[in-house]
Amino acid sequence: SAYEQFAACEDVVSGEKHYTDSSLEVLNITYPASIQSGDPFEVELELKASRSIVAPIVGMTINNVTAQVVVANNTLSERFVFSLPKGRTRIRVRYDHLSLARGMYYLSFVVSEKDMNNQLAALLNTHRFEVRTSVDDYGAGMYRLSPTWESAS
């Protein structure tokens, strides 16, 4: 199918960008290459700071193939306070269930200091994963919602 051909050859989404300040290095990003819609989804970000980062903020988005944000979270909005000392730090974000429509998605990350606009690292649309659904699912859209269906005659 055209979808499978696209999934097999599409490695970079439009707008892919990488930026890191000299004070921060992104060592590794671990995530599943593929999930079933509704499955748990966990991402681990391994960072190495050359100095202690004051009031760090980490943001992560999930974007579709047109780079449109479909899920966005950050530690500031979630009131998750953590430290980013000199050396290595691992940060994990877990969704108990990620109910997205079938398709290819990209992860973006931002690491900031004190303010979301003071970015030390920005990796935009850099890591791809696939959301699969059952064969009989022909839906379209971004989210997999389960509505209540009714019929009256």
Side-chain angles (χ1 to χ4, degrees):
S1 76
Y3 168 77
E4 288 158 340
Q5 290 173 20
F6 172 78
C9 69
E10 179 65 17
D11 289 325
V12 177
V13 70
S14 169
E16 178 180 331
K17 295 185 180 8
H18 306 257
Y19 164 79
T20 53
D21 182 89
S22 61
S23 62
L24 193 65
E25 182 182 356
V26 178
L27 298 176
N28 194 27
I29 298 173
T30 308
Y31 61 98
S34 176
I35 65 165
Q36 279 293 120
S37 183
D39 281 356
F41 186 74
E42 184 173 287
V43 177
E44 182 176 277
L45 187 61
E46 186 177 3
L47 306 171
K48 183 178 179 184
S50 62
R51 62 177 177 82
S52 181
I53 307 301
V54 178
I57 303 165
V58 174
M60 185 182 93
T61 62
I62 299 174
N63 312 295
N64 66 13
V65 294
T66 63
Q68 180 180 15
V69 175
V70 296
V71 177
N73 296 99
N74 69 70
T75 56
L76 183 63
S77 296
E78 307 281 329
R79 292 186 171 97
F80 177 72
V81 179
F82 67 103
S83 62
L84 194 49
K86 182 177 179 178
R88 291 178 184 239
T89 301
R90 287 189 176 157
I91 299 164
R92 276 187 216 98
V93 59
R94 178 181 167 82
Y95 298 90
D96 291 335
H97 54 87
L98 190 61
S99 297
L100 295 174
R102 179 178 100 142
M104 301 306 297
Y105 293 88
Y106 294 81
L107 299 171
S108 293
F109 303 92
V110 172
V111 181
S112 302
E113 184 173 37
K114 296 181 186 175
D115 183 274
M116 197 62 148
N117 293 323
N118 185 22
Q119 296 174 358
L120 303 179
L123 297 101
L124 308 178
N125 302 319
T126 54
H127 293 78
R128 180 179 75 158
F129 71 98
E130 181 178 17
V131 174
R132 297 175 184 249
T133 58
S134 61
V135 204
D136 60 348
D137 182 1
Y138 300 105
M142 289 184 243
Y143 300 101
R144 298 238 334 116
L145 303 176
S146 297
T148 300
W149 293 82
E150 295 180 4
S151 175
S153 299

